[in-house]
């Protein structure tokens, strides 16, 4: 098929690469010329394990990028993958989606039935909205000459390739039978695992145990599909907020949250995933998606009090971490604190809306000198927060230099293998707060560190 992905960010670039790998002629459209040049040059515009490999392999043959919408004319399926950030009132900013819809409308082909897919995370009713915009700009009739459907994306950054090729479910939201037929054909290789380039698949970062993996292809109406996405993200956020609250209680009671999470997760109804403590969930998705869902529920007089509580609880988690540091150092003013991890999780360069941002801003208000490091996220963090007076360090060891405290916010695996002995001798006071209970606690304590995790009494 001729597939188009509008937006070459964390969703669009991976989606386009995956569809090209499945044998479709795929065009990425982005207004950002730098990203377009990256893809055409065979490079990934973002850091995502395995994506460079895939783009390098397909660029120039089945995959290309452009900053014009001309190819929409020949498309069978057009995926909208642009950003939907939060507005000040918490609702989703649909301006990028609307702009993309107008541009699609200007180039749609009256002779060809095109399926336009909302892959961006959008509020309920956006499929209908996009259809109206396209009708206005193209003069064509929705459902007859084109269809707008919902196909939310569930990939996780850092595992996007695996999630694209081996999704748990593919949700298709439309009652238009022609669109359903097109989507079924397009997704068939992903459901039946019919990837003709086996050699390439072997080189991608996909866990070995995928042979038995089952992907469920699930069809519903557009509104339900749109809400499935928000309901899923909010549910995961609730789960993390819950374990983080249990962590706070556990610490007060003298029990061990890592064991508690394990003991809970062994119940298959609960499951072990998303019970990892942290300084709170963050990133470009959970905060904005819980915000939008909550705002919509309030607008309709059906407030999701559980989601509201999860958001509040998450904010308390930041404060809980700051309090721990404050209790330890007594006075924050004039102290130096090293921060390990600026991204919202490991294996991504995405530094949008991270816990690090909140915690660093807080520490600066207390008069702390902040030194930071992240293996992949420094560039984006610095670009987003150029006003923050913090020291960007070349490596983690440097971050600890003469620090009164070292705080691990993101559990990059390389942080486990640091020269901890050297760090011990360079720190002013060897206090570590490990907000992910990730570092080798016993070994660090034996070295002389004052090591604290979260939720371990
Ligand atoms: P992103 O900011 O990384 O990428 C969006 C891209 O769209 C940018 O490159 C931007 O230049 C481009 N763009 C904006 N307006 C455009 C236009 N009119 N025409 C062409 N290109 C345009 O965003 P993202 O993280 O990929 O997220 C995209 C959507 O997918 C959001 O709604 C998000 O909630 C959802 N989502 C994201 C993830 C994730 O892990 N990041 C996962 C699932 C769903
Ligand atoms: C999340 C969802 O997991 C994806 O299914 C969804 O597609 C995506 O949002 C989206 O809509 O954008 P992602 O944001 O990449 O994916 O990251 P997660 O792995 O879900 O982590 C989100 C945040 O929760 C991170 O800050 C992470 O560190 C934190 N987290 C996660 C915990 O604190 N504990 C956990 O056990 C798991």
């Amino acid at each position: 098929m001729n597939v188009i992905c509008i937006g070459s960010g964390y969703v669009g670039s991976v989606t386009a690469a995956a569809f090209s790998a499945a044998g479709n002629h795929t065009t990425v459209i982005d207004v950002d010329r730098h990203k377009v040049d990256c893809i055409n040059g065979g490079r990934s515009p973002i850091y995502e394990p395995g994506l460079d490999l895939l783009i390098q392999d397909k660029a120039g043959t089945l995959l290309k990028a452009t900053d014009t919408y001309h190819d929409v004319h020949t498309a069978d399926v057009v995926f909208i993958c642009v950003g939907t950030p939060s507005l000040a009132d918490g609702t989703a900013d649909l301006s990028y989606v609307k702009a993309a819809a107008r541009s699609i409308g200007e180039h749609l082909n009256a002779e060809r039935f095109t399926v336009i897919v909302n892959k961006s995370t959008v509020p309920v009713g956006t499929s209908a909205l996009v259809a109206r915009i396209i009708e206005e700009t193209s003069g064509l009739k929705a459902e007859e000459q084109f269809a707008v459907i919902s196909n939310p994306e569930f990939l996780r950054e850092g595992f996007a390739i695996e999630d694209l090729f081996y999704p748990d479910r593919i949700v298709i939201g439309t009652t238009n039978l022609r669109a359903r037929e097109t989507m079924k054909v397009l997704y068939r290789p992903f459901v039946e695992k019919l990837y003709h380039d086996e050699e390439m698949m072997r080189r991608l970062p996909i866990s070995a145990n995928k042979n038995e993996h089952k992907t469920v292809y699930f069809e519903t109406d557009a509104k339900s599909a749109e809400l499935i996405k928000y309901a899923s993200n909010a549910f995961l956020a609730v789960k993390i907020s819950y374990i983080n609250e249990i962590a706070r209680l556990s610490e007060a009671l003298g029990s061990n949250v890592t064991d508690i999470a394990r003991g809970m997760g062994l119940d298959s109804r609960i499951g072990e995933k998303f019970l990892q403590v942290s300084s709170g969930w963050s990133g470009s998705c959970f905060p904005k998606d819980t915000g939008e869902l909550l705002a919509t529920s309030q607008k309709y007089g059906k407030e999701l009090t559980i989601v509201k509580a999860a958001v509040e609880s998450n904010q308390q988690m930041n404060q809980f971490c700051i309090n721990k540091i404050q209790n330890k150092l007594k006075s924050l003013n004039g102290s130096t604190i090293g921060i390990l991890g600026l991204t919202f999780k490991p294996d991504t360069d995405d530094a949008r809306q991270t816990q690090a941002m909140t915690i660093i801003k807080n520490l600066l208000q207390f008069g702390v000198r902040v030194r930071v490091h992240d293996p992949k996220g420094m560039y984006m963090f610095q670009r987003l927060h150029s006003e923050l007076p913090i020291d960007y360090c070349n490596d983690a060891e440097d971050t600890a230099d003469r620090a009164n405290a070292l705080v691990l916010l993101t559990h990059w695996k390389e942080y486990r293998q640091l020269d901890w002995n050297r760090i011990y001798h360079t720190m002013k006071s060897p206090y570590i707060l490990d907000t992910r209970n990730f570092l080798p606690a016993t070994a660090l304590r034996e070295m002389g560190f004052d090591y604290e995790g979260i939720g371990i009494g």
Side-chain angles (χ1 to χ4, degrees):
M1 286 195 191
N2 290 338
V3 173
I4 289 190
C5 291
I6 299 177
S8 60
Y10 291 86
V11 169
S13 57
V14 188
T15 306
F19 281 121
S20 69
N24 302 286
H25 292 275
T26 309
T27 305
V28 182
I29 299 175
D30 202 300
V31 289
D32 183 338
R33 190 70 230 179
H34 170 71
K35 288 182 175 167
V36 168
D37 290 343
C38 275
I39 293 175
N40 287 332
R43 298 181 313 278
S44 167
I46 54 159
Y47 174 73
E48 178 63 45
L51 187 56
D52 250 335
L53 200 64
L54 209 51
I55 292 182
Q56 191 183 36
D57 193 63
K58 299 296 169 213
T61 53
L62 285 171
L63 179 66
K64 69 168 180 166
T66 168
D67 58 1
T68 75
Y69 276 70
H70 296 308
D71 283 4
V72 166
H73 202 67
T74 53
D76 297 301
V77 184
V78 180
F79 286 92
I80 299 177
C81 311
V82 299
T84 48
S86 287
L87 289 169
D89 64 357
T91 59
D93 177 358
L94 290 179
S95 57
Y96 303 100
V97 172
K98 289 179 189 169
R102 280 192 294 274
S103 304
I104 293 169
E106 283 160 14
H107 292 87
L108 215 54
N109 187 344
E111 310 302 318
R112 202 181 178 106
F113 183 82
T114 312
V115 182
I116 291 106
V117 185
N118 269 337
K119 197 166 247 320
S120 296
T121 303
V122 287
V124 173
T126 306
S127 294
L129 171 72
V130 168
R132 278 199 303 278
I133 295 173
I134 296 178
E135 277 188 334
E136 279 163 24
T137 40
S138 67
L140 304 181
K141 188 99 192 72
E143 303 299 328
E144 289 170 21
Q145 290 166 292
F146 70 93
V148 179
I149 74 161
S150 167
N151 168 218
E153 180 50 61
F154 302 101
L155 68 79
R156 299 159 298 166
E157 291 180 22
F159 296 91
I161 299 280
E162 174 166 314
D163 289 346
L164 251 287
F165 285 106
Y166 293 90
D168 287 345
R169 81 288 213 195
I170 295 165
V171 174
I172 301 294
T174 179
T175 47
N176 184 299
L177 296 182
R178 238 171 130 181
R180 279 193 172 181
E181 199 44 48
T182 303
M183 296 310 285
K184 206 174 262 170
V185 174
L186 182 65
Y187 271 117
R188 192 163 157 251
F190 297 85
V191 175
E192 297 182 10
K193 317 293 173 226
L194 301 171
Y195 305 121
H196 49 80
D197 195 345
E198 288 294 332
E199 164 54 23
M200 166 54 73
M201 295 304 291
R202 268 194 292 277
R203 289 161 61 209
L204 294 175
I206 292 172
S207 24
N209 59 352
K210 286 291 171 192
N211 288 344
E212 299 301 309
H213 187 273
K214 266 196 97 58
T215 294
V216 176
Y217 191 83
F218 180 63
E219 292 174 325
T220 178
D221 63 279
K223 283 186 179 181
S224 303
E226 287 164 343
L227 194 49
I228 285 171
K229 174 62 194 177
Y230 283 102
S232 302
N233 269 7
F235 186 83
L236 294 170
V238 167
K239 196 172 178 189
I240 303 166
S241 282
Y242 182 74
I243 196 66
N244 278 341
E245 282 209 3
I246 293 290
R248 300 194 308 249
L249 177 64
S250 161
E251 197 164 302
L253 296 177
S255 47
N256 181 330
V257 75
T258 305
D259 284 355
I260 295 167
R262 169 118 178 94
M264 286 169 62
L266 288 170
D267 182 332
S268 60
R269 294 171 304 173
I270 297 175
E272 62 181 4
K273 291 179 182 161
F274 278 69
L275 289 177
Q276 165 71 51
V277 291
S278 58
S279 59
W281 40 266
S282 63
S284 67
C285 292
F286 282 3
K288 84 170 171 64
D289 293 347
T290 47
E292 160 58 38
L293 185 61
L294 194 54
T296 297
S297 71
Q298 286 161 344
K299 184 174 151 198
Y300 283 82
K302 300 280 180 290
E303 186 180 64
L304 290 170
T305 54
I306 293 177
V307 176
K308 189 179 184 187
V311 172
E312 283 167 9
S313 169
N314 201 47
Q315 285 156 2
Q316 288 163 21
M317 205 57 208
N318 295 185
Q319 200 48 52
F320 179 78
C321 292
I322 306 265
N323 290 350
K324 276 176 87 85
I325 306 168
Q326 203 161 21
N327 288 343
K328 186 61 70 171
L329 300 188
K330 305 300 177 224
S331 167
L332 288 175
N333 192 8
S335 65
T336 299
I337 295 182
I339 300 285
L340 296 182
L342 298 173
T343 52
F344 72 116
K345 60 186 231 178
D347 298 317
T348 177
D349 60 352
D350 195 346
R352 296 176 287 182
Q353 294 294 319
T354 66
Q355 288 303 93
M357 171 192 80
T358 314
I359 287 181
I360 290 170
K361 282 184 180 168
N362 247 295
L363 292 175
L364 288 171
Q365 275 177 4
F366 281 108
V368 172
R369 179 174 172 210
V370 179
R371 297 171 65 74
V372 302
H373 175 262
D374 189 282
K376 297 282 179 206
M378 300 241 273
Y379 173 74
M380 193 188 292
F381 194 87
Q382 193 161 16
R383 198 161 47 83
L384 293 173
H385 306 291
S386 53
E387 79 291 355
L388 294 181
I390 55 180
D391 300 332
Y392 291 88
C393 302
N394 288 333
D395 54 43
E397 284 88 352
D398 187 24
T399 313
D401 193 27
R402 276 163 285 169
N404 301 84
L406 193 58
V407 181
L408 180 126
L409 293 180
T410 319
H411 49 305
W412 284 94
K413 62 176 175 305
E414 43 267 68
Y415 287 156
R416 261 211 191 123
Q417 277 111 38
L418 297 178
D419 185 348
W420 285 108
N421 215 7
R422 192 183 129 205
I423 289 177
Y424 177 78
H425 287 103
T426 57
M427 284 183 75
K428 211 179 265 172
S429 55
Y431 169 60
I432 297 177
L433 174 61
D434 175 2
T435 68
R436 304 273 183 167
N437 293 348
F438 172 73
L439 297 172
T442 309
L444 291 174
R445 287 204 180 101
E446 279 169 10
M447 264 179 226
F449 279 103
D450 181 1
Y451 170 94
E452 264 195 306
I454 299 276
I456 299 170

